[in-house]
Amino acid sequence: MSSAVLVLAFAGIGCDSSSPEPQASTSASVQSVLRGKSLISQYQCGSCHTIPGVADARGVTAVSLEGFGRRSFIGGRIPNQPSALATWLIDPHSQVPAATMPSLAVSPAHAQDMANYLGTLR
């Protein structure tokens, strides 16, 4: 999501009161963003990553995803665009063979929702 398109609105619902809930941009529905947040928890992404707004996502073996929506690149090589991020989540090794991120058998629909949530992290 480009920063020109992304419009963030925060509501006080989330895993705790100190973690505001990112809401949808003009290109992602609120439902998709909320599904993405839930799926990130379901796929246990937080066992490796710290992910704001996701309960128990305090992993330290991989890079923190705080501010992910502002980043220029995914995996240090791929331009940070929602479709590229979804592809990365489905099969990171197809884009960067030496990637340390494991393939988690994420479906394309789940990957898009997860990418939409990560794009809200500013």
Side-chain angles (χ1 to χ4, degrees), residues 3-4 8-10 14 16 22 29-30 42 52 55-56 63 67 72 83 87 90 92 95-96 101-102 115:
S3 59
L8 293 177
F10 293 93
D16 64 58
S29 73
V30 171
Q42 177 183 320
D56 298 321
V63 65
S72 298
S83 61
T87 300
I90 293 166
Q95 295 187 24
V96 179
M101 182 164 153

Side-chain angles (χ1 to χ4, degrees), residues 31-57:
Q31 293 81 18
S32 175
V33 170
L34 293 176
R35 275 192 309 269
K37 177 182 175 183
S38 177
L39 289 164
I40 286 169
S41 182
Q42 177 183 320
Y43 282 98
Q44 300 179 3
C45 302
S47 63
C48 295
H49 297 278
T50 296
I51 309 165
V54 177
D56 298 321

Side-chain angles (χ1 to χ4, degrees), residues 6-14 17-24 33 52-53 70 117 119-122:
L6 188 61
V7 177
L8 293 177
F10 293 93
I13 59 170
S17 61
S18 66
S19 298
E21 182 73 32
Q23 291 190 0
V33 170
R70 292 190 318 256
Y117 177 75
T120 69
L121 299 179
R122 298 289 169 172

Side-chain angles (χ1 to χ4, degrees), residues 53-77:
V54 177
D56 298 321
R58 297 184 196 100
V60 295
T61 59
V63 65
S64 169
L65 299 182
E66 184 174 355
F68 187 84
R70 292 190 318 256
R71 294 186 188 172
S72 298
F73 295 98
I74 302 161
R77 298 182 183 171

